[in-house]
Amino acid sequence: MKIVICPDSFKGTLAAKEASEAIRRAAEKIFPEAETCLLPLGDGGEGTKECFMTLGAVEKSAKVRGPYGEELEAKYLLFPDGKTAYVESAEAAGLTKSELRITEIATTYGVGELIMKATEDGAEKVLLGLGGSGTSDMGLGMASAMGFTFYDDHDIEFIPTGRSLRTLSRFERPEGKIPAITALCDVENPLCGEKGSAAIFGPQKGADEKTIAMLDEGMRHASSVIDIEKADLPGAGAAGGMGYAVLALFGGELERGIDVVSHTVGLDEAIRSADLVVTGEGSFDGQSMMGKAVGGIASRAKKAGVPLYVLCGRAGEVGEAYLSGVSAVFPMTNYPVGALLSASETEKALEKTAENLFRTIKISE
């Protein structure tokens, strides 16, 4: 028997790698002769970096500008081929990097600095994880750090923030070559409008109704100067508009995080040769099937005709999951949302739940 073990992180408690190890221990206890294949996953958010590190990617660090201009140390990865890097935008522009919630003045400049540092290390291709940002500058701060020059309505060079987007009058592209950028993006929001970046993501970044209207107006204006057609593309509104910068300024691509990660770690091949697949995450419900790691795994397992079992901290409404490739769901607890177990308690509970799963499978053999 071959068992593929590919959980996402259990947010706030266990990294995907730790979850994988707990599930493997349970599998080896019940099926000591089985072959276990561990592929801890991420979908472009939390845990993705650790996932790539299991492939031999090396963590690097650099001093960059934080969301409010402060110096901070941020991490990025360089893959074994020496030509591919992984940068998480939240490392330099994340909501958790500061207690401030003034998204209209926050900048993505440090993200661009990280990308340029990776290119100095030899990277020709950058995987850019979008998500968790505290910014709303359309990624123009990031572009500024990468050599783009922006001018206001007085033709004075400036680094745009959400507050100053409406003053953009023109821009110039850098003369040097920028790396090929693929953004890992799991939202389909356009840049502007009622489903746009400011309206949907602004409130969690501290924006009130007046600020949201100002940001949306600025994004409409700035995109009319840069490339208005790209503003309506799915994902343009991701990470405060960083998705737009990738599309309109860098000529890059937006891809679902789980698709990029799955291809990189060889998930499809592993599932096709498996007898069963076990995945998991902290909280599992219908949203888990929409662009998240578990949803991507389920579609692959269904296509391969391989049973998929989901272990989770808690389960919400999961009926639709059974039509999308999930064979069964095993919640560890019935705790309410927000009542998190400690990391050690979670690990023990996960291992015990996995053991019960494998015991059930053994009985049915």
Side-chain angles (χ1 to χ4, degrees):
M1 176 184 289
K2 179 179 179 180
I3 305 171
V4 171
I5 300 171
C6 49
D8 196 352
S9 63
F10 283 61
K11 193 170 185 179
T13 50
L14 283 184
K17 183 178 180 181
E18 295 170 333
S20 297
E21 294 288 353
I23 297 169
R24 178 169 67 177
R25 288 194 297 271
E28 291 178 341
K29 182 175 181 179
I30 307 304
F31 294 107
E33 303 301 321
E35 174 190 352
T36 55
C37 173
L38 269 62
L39 293 174
L41 293 179
D43 56 17
E46 181 183 8
T48 303
K49 183 169 66 174
E50 289 75 14
C51 168
F52 287 149
M53 289 178 72
T54 65
L55 301 177
V58 177
E59 189 174 62
K60 303 274 190 174
S61 63
K63 298 286 187 181
V64 301
R65 188 180 302 186
Y68 297 99
E70 71 280 26
E71 184 181 79
L72 55 78
E73 185 173 288
K75 311 288 187 181
Y76 63 98
L77 299 181
L78 193 63
F79 282 70
D81 66 2
K83 297 182 179 180
T84 305
Y86 174 65
V87 173
E88 282 188 0
S89 60
E91 277 287 312
L95 196 61
T96 61
K97 293 299 178 181
S98 173
E99 294 183 358
L100 293 176
R101 294 292 184 270
I102 316 176
T103 188
E104 63 268 32
I105 63 171
T107 181
T108 55
Y109 193 90
V111 180
E113 290 182 301
L114 270 184
I115 292 173
M116 296 310 294
K117 180 60 179 175
T119 62
E120 291 173 11
D121 285 339
E124 299 174 2
K125 177 181 179 181
V126 173
L127 302 178
L128 177 62
L130 301 183
S133 80
T135 57
S136 299
D137 69 351
M138 290 173 57
L140 301 194
M142 171 176 64
S144 296
M146 296 171 64
F148 285 80
T149 308
F150 299 94
Y151 298 88
D152 66 14
D153 46 18
H154 296 289
D155 211 36
I156 297 173
E157 182 181 336
F158 76 120
I159 298 174
T161 62
R163 178 178 291 174
S164 59
L165 289 173
R166 54 189 172 182
T167 69
L168 180 66
S169 64
R170 68 184 183 92
F171 72 101
E172 295 177 353
R173 297 180 179 276
E175 295 182 2
K177 182 180 179 181
I178 61 174
I181 297 178
T182 298
L184 284 61
C185 175
D186 294 321
V187 302
E188 297 187 351
N189 303 75
L191 183 64
C192 307
E194 62 181 18
K195 294 184 179 180
S197 180
I200 299 301
F201 305 114
Q204 69 192 46
K205 303 176 185 184
D208 57 20
E209 290 187 11
K210 183 178 180 180
T211 302
I212 289 170
M214 180 266 291
L215 290 171
D216 192 67
E217 178 189 348
M219 290 179 179
R220 288 182 186 279
H221 170 77
S223 62
S224 71
V225 174
I226 298 170
D227 187 335
I228 190 63
E229 294 183 359
K230 296 291 195 300
D232 292 329
L233 293 179
M242 271 190 272
Y244 175 81
V246 171
L247 293 167
L249 293 175
F250 307 153
E253 300 177 340
L254 304 184
E255 295 187 18
R256 289 203 316 168
I258 184 58
D259 291 339
V260 175
V261 174
S262 296
H263 174 74
T264 304
V265 304
L267 180 64
D268 291 275
E269 295 81 357
I271 288 179
R272 282 196 294 266
S273 63
D275 294 293
L276 62 96
V277 180
V278 181
T279 186
E281 63 178 2
S283 180
F284 180 75
D285 56 26
Q287 294 297 313
S288 301
M289 306 303 293
M290 301 173 63
K292 301 299 183 181
V294 176
I297 296 165
S299 64
R300 288 164 170 80
K302 182 176 182 179
K303 183 177 180 180
V306 179
L308 170 67
Y309 301 97
V310 178
L311 305 175
C312 57
R314 63 171 298 279
E317 181 57 51
V318 299
E320 290 296 320
Y322 297 126
L323 303 176
S324 304
V326 173
S327 301
V329 178
F330 292 77
M332 292 152 41
T333 72
N334 288 314
Y335 285 80
V337 178
L340 293 176
L341 297 171
S342 68
S344 61
E345 289 174 321
T346 300
E347 191 169 6
K348 290 177 183 177
L350 176 59
E351 185 173 344
K352 181 58 66 175
T353 306
E355 182 181 332
N356 287 332
L357 162 64
F358 293 125
R359 286 186 183 280
T360 303
I361 293 172
K362 189 175 181 65
I363 291 172
S364 64
E365 281 191 314

